Amino acid sequence: MAEQLNDRENSGLADKLMQYLPARFRPGTAVVPVVRLSGVIGAVTPLRPGMTLAGLARVLERAFSVRNAKAVALVINSPGGSPVQSRQIYLRIKQLAAEKKLKVLVFVEDVAASGGYMIACAGDEIFCDPSSILGSIGVVGGSFGFQEAIRRLGIERRLYTAGAHKAMLDPFLPENPDDVAKLKALQREIHQIFIALVRESRGARLKGADDTLFTGEYWAGESSIALGLADGIGDLRSTLRARYGEKVLTPVIAQPSGLLSGLLGRKSPGAGQLSAMESMAGLPDELISAIETRAIWAKFGF
């Protein structure tokens, strides 16, 4: 009898102590950490950082290490960018998911196109809004031709190289068909890598023909689902509550910020002033970067 009373007292004490624990540490609490992946991929300037594996590695590792996690949710809003950084981020997500044995649920906001869609393919399931844009499975590159402009201005182009193709695609020289053919071959090679990744990730869920899916075209939510590029219409909150219960916790895992982060990341004395000077000197480049970034988003109507 005394032992039963002691057990009840201990149980009651344990329940009281449990109330003081953060909700996500309590047994039986469903937790789905959320990582937001937004912006152009790989476009980095002093004032306009894009998404890179180096910048996201710690955030992803923290998300996949959350205690009691049932899955990891990725919220993607990206028009694409660097194919290298896109694939490296994709691979890191797949590696962490395999190590931690966690499902990855992707939620597309405005856009998951090109490299943004490549990252989305790391998810076990992809959800989107009816107005979301997905796809653009292709490779693009562009330049300008200034040779006539500098001729009219009376500017003489002087370029010195070692290597027959070192000045390939120079915008101040006339376009060379051989250079264009080499660029096209390179793009086709990268395109095939992208196609293989999508096929491996989406598998039998893909329903469209190759000459539809892999032309660089993009689609809205319902059409993307019909083609097998996404799995369903759904927003983060509603989908996770339906799957894991009304009390599911969705902590957002983000880069450290605030005073402590600033102190820990502070550079040597004078570095702040030097950085400011460098930023001022780089304003023309930053303006060009802003225009390029805006052009990438504008392709998708944003």
Side-chain angles (χ1 to χ4, degrees), residues 14-77:
D15 290 339
K16 289 179 181 179
L17 290 174
M18 200 66 66
Q19 296 175 6
Y20 295 99
L21 281 175
R24 64 178 177 172
F25 293 120
R26 297 172 193 168
T29 302
V31 182
V32 180
V34 178
V35 178
R36 297 189 63 86
L37 303 175
S38 300
V40 176
I41 302 165
V44 180
T45 65
L47 301 178
R48 189 176 296 274
M51 282 196 288
T52 64
L53 178 59
L56 292 171
R58 288 183 63 189
V59 173
L60 292 172
E61 287 168 8
R62 285 174 56 209
F64 279 93
S65 299
V66 170
R67 185 175 176 179
N68 292 338
K70 301 296 184 184
V72 171
L74 304 178
V75 180
I76 295 179
N77 194 13

Side-chain angles (χ1 to χ4, degrees), residues 115-296:
Y117 183 72
M118 183 184 289
I119 294 175
C121 284
D124 295 284
E125 296 176 75
I126 299 175
F127 299 93
C128 60
D129 185 86
S131 299
S132 297
I133 291 176
L134 294 86
S136 191
I137 302 168
V139 181
V140 64
S143 183
F144 296 92
F146 295 107
Q147 72 275 7
E148 290 299 320
I150 63 173
R151 183 184 63 78
R152 289 173 184 171
L153 291 172
I155 299 171
E156 180 184 355
R157 172 69 162 154
R158 295 174 180 175
L159 183 66
Y160 311 101
T161 67
H165 302 289
K166 188 62 179 177
M168 187 174 76
L169 301 174
D170 186 294
F172 296 101
L173 295 176
E175 188 174 62
N176 184 330
D178 291 339
D179 292 348
V180 175
K182 290 181 175 66
L183 174 63
K184 289 285 189 181
L186 179 64
Q187 289 180 323
R188 285 193 294 271
E189 185 176 349
I190 297 171
H191 192 197
Q192 289 304 312
I193 293 170
F194 195 173
I195 292 171
L197 183 149
V198 174
R199 280 180 173 155
E200 181 181 355
S201 301
R202 300 298 296 169
R205 288 175 287 186
L206 292 174
K207 300 180 180 68
D210 286 4
D211 58 1
T212 298
L213 291 173
F214 305 131
T215 62
E217 188 177 353
Y218 45 87
W219 300 269
E222 294 285 3
S223 297
S224 300
I225 294 167
L227 291 169
L229 298 176
D231 299 290
I233 299 296
D235 64 277
L236 177 78
R237 186 173 185 269
S238 301
T239 303
L240 295 184
R241 285 191 167 200
R243 185 163 299 192
Y244 299 106
E246 291 292 320
K247 294 185 178 180
V248 61
L249 298 176
T250 56
V252 177
I253 311 300
Q255 294 279 14
S257 60
L259 177 61
L260 182 59
S261 174
L263 290 173
L264 292 176
R266 183 167 293 173
K267 300 178 182 179
S268 58
Q273 295 177 349
L274 179 61
S275 177
M277 292 171 63
E278 290 173 345
S279 296
M280 291 297 292
L283 282 178
D285 289 339
E286 177 59 24
L287 178 60
I288 293 171
S289 174
I291 294 171
E292 289 177 339
T293 300
R294 186 71 191 89
I296 293 172

